Amino acid sequence: MVENPRDAARARADLRFKKQEEAATVRQKAMAEYAAESDARKAKTDKLRALRLAKEAEDLANAPAAPAKKPARAKKK
């Protein structure tokens, strides 16, 4: 069966359009995954920072008073 050139061009255009749509869907999915991972990483970092700051504040509050340092003596020549 001989195919009409117009039908062949339409089929190629439809195939190209379908590939572009699939590529756009893949890009959108990848960007959504990237954004989700980024948000999760930021949340984890914020949580760890808060824990570290709380521990540092607790350590500072519970630290024994440090003895006063004597001033450094001048070197003899």
Side-chain angles (χ1 to χ4, degrees):
M1 180 170 173
V2 176
E3 203 171 298
N4 186 353
R6 180 178 274 178
D7 292 339
R10 179 174 292 233
R12 285 192 308 270
D14 287 343
L15 183 61
R16 189 178 322 125
F17 178 76
K18 185 177 178 183
K19 285 183 181 181
Q20 288 175 347
E21 287 293 311
E22 288 175 3
T25 302
V26 169
R27 280 192 302 273
Q28 288 173 348
K29 183 179 177 185
M31 285 303 297
E33 289 175 2
Y34 175 78
E37 288 174 5
S38 177
D39 291 345
R41 187 179 307 113
K42 184 178 179 341
K44 185 176 179 180
T45 301
D46 291 344
K47 177 184 171 188
L48 291 173
R49 180 179 291 123
L51 290 171
R52 177 180 50 83
L53 291 174
K55 183 180 183 311
E56 288 175 357
E58 181 183 337
D59 290 347
L60 186 62
N62 294 336
K69 292 186 177 180
K70 295 181 182 178
R73 294 184 354 180
K75 292 185 179 182
K76 293 183 182 179
K77 289 188 177 186

